């Protein structure tokens, strides 16, 4: 059974940091890409960052480039999203998701995690 379990969200002041974790089971990172999405109230879900062992690539959307870092710990079957220099506009529910390849396009997601709330206060 495929499972994605996010953790690490919370409340942080602007300029602070959080590290999100996505614990995965039931599939191999060598077969699929993992993408972090986020959804703020009233807005569409957007792709934030993606990592693919198969294609050996990482991807970051423009709003987070230079501030967020995605990584995989294959031994722990976990994908991390290190978020630094957080801004109030980063406030959203963050989801990890399985894709056949890094696209950042929500309709191309095979499986979603349940999400974790990130709130950045000004």
């Amino acid at each position: 059974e495929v499972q994605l379990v996010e953790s690490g969200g919370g409340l942080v002041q602007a300029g602070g940091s959080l590290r999100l974790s996505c614990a995965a089971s039931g599939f191999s990172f060598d077969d699929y890409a993992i993408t972090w999405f986020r959804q703020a109230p009233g807005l569409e879900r957007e792709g934030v960052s993606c990592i693919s062992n198969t294609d050996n690539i990482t991807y970051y959307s423009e709003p987070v480039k230079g501030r967020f870092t995605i990584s995989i710990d294959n031994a722990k079957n976990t994908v991390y999203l290190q978020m630094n220099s957080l801004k109030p506009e980063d406030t959203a529910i963050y989801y990890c998701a399985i894709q056949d390849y890094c696209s950042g396009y929500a309709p191309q997601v095979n499986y979603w995690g349940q999400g974790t709330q990130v709130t950045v206060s000004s």
Side-chain angles (χ1 to χ4, degrees):
E1 179 187 4
V2 172
Q3 280 196 323
L4 296 172
V5 180
E6 301 97 330
S7 61
L11 173 64
V12 64
Q13 289 188 331
S17 299
L18 285 174
R19 189 178 76 160
L20 304 184
S21 299
C22 174
S25 60
F27 67 99
S28 172
F29 289 144
D30 290 336
D31 295 331
Y32 298 99
I34 298 294
T35 302
W36 284 97
F37 288 81
R38 67 184 181 186
Q39 187 166 22
L43 299 180
E44 292 186 354
R45 199 168 292 192
E46 62 172 351
V48 171
S49 182
C50 182
I51 188 165
S52 170
N53 275 348
T54 303
D55 299 324
N56 195 29
I57 63 169
T58 57
Y59 163 83
Y60 299 95
S61 64
E62 283 301 320
V64 308
K65 196 172 292 184
R67 299 187 297 122
F68 290 11
T69 303
I70 192 169
S71 62
I72 284 181
D73 185 330
N74 289 296
K76 295 183 178 180
N77 288 328
T78 300
V79 175
Y80 299 101
L81 186 67
Q82 178 67 44
M83 306 187 296
N84 299 329
S85 302
L86 283 163
K87 305 175 182 180
E89 50 264 44
D90 293 318
T91 295
I93 299 175
Y94 284 71
Y95 301 87
C96 64
I98 299 170
Q99 295 190 289
D100 290 336
Y101 55 90
C102 285
S103 79
Y105 186 47
Q108 292 177 336
V109 166
N110 298 329
Y111 192 89
W112 293 97
Q114 85 287 353
T116 185
Q117 176 71 48
V118 171
T119 303
V120 184
S121 64
S122 57

